[in-house]
Amino acid sequence: MRKVVSIALLIMAANYSYGQKNSTNQDLVWYGLFTTFEINKKWYFQNELQERHYITPTAQHQFLIRTHLHRLLGTSGWETSLGMCLFLQNPNDPNAVDKLTVPELRPHLEFAYKQKLGKVTIDHRYRAEARFFHNTNSKRTALEDGFDFGNFRLRYRLQATIPLYKIADKRFLKLKVSDEIHLNAGNKISKNVFEQNRIYTGIGYDISQNLSFEVGYLNWFQQRPNGDFYNRDILRFTVAHKINLQKKEE
């Protein structure tokens, strides 16, 4: 647990030092619905819907739909998944006059490892994404035909889930703390190999064994292609729902 805290503190310190450079502060709200379909003991399918908008002024920022199929790798705590995301990007300036929505396709491959340290659950997630951006005109005011490959992005997330209070059988009030770093790769990347870092802390509540609600704070620190930064404070609401598709034993 000390290692987790140490890593988080080092990344926060790095964010602070970067933040002394040119950075734009923004406030946003994210809403998420995560639905998991349990196929059997080894396979499950997950669908995500996320809406993201600025607070002042209220303006659309992003919307995404992500689907991924997971396979548990024995009883070792490892699993792998393959997925695709449709990502709709609006301007990074909420006061922009031209509010063109640019679609992006993101196929991804992922490996994750879950381990128990006493009552604490530690999750390691390794994800590789390929980013395909919808073509636009030179002024970025209108879409044109086709998609163009942009770059690869490598993501690592370290997360700790800590049960705080047992409400009922298998139902807990939980604290979740995570940190995720994103790195860009590709011949179009020059100044922003480090693309972003996300530090999150939230409180989750199990409404039932198959339904949970979570509210938290996310600091999204992102480097722009020109070398400047966005420093975003985000209030995040998430609902997670599980649906068991396995046939019940008689």
Side-chain angles (χ1 to χ4, degrees), residues 21-69:
K21 302 179 181 180
N22 292 333
S23 64
T24 301
N25 296 325
Q26 296 175 333
D27 298 323
L28 296 95
V29 178
W30 287 9
Y31 310 93
L33 174 62
F34 294 71
T35 304
T36 300
F37 299 90
E38 297 180 340
I39 301 171
N40 55 42
K41 293 182 179 180
K42 291 185 177 181
W43 294 88
Y44 69 92
F45 172 79
Q46 190 172 78
N47 186 67
E48 303 176 22
L49 297 175
Q50 293 192 46
E51 161 67 15
R52 304 170 177 178
H53 67 79
Y54 300 101
I55 296 177
T56 306
T58 301
Q60 177 77 23
H61 185 217
Q62 298 168 336
F63 178 80
L64 67 92
I65 302 173
R66 180 183 286 119
T67 60
H68 32 110
L69 181 64

Side-chain angles (χ1 to χ4, degrees), residues 67-80:
T67 60
H68 32 110
L69 181 64
H70 292 248
R71 170 69 156 81
L72 301 182
L73 303 178
T75 59
S76 62
W78 283 94
E79 65 178 72
T80 185

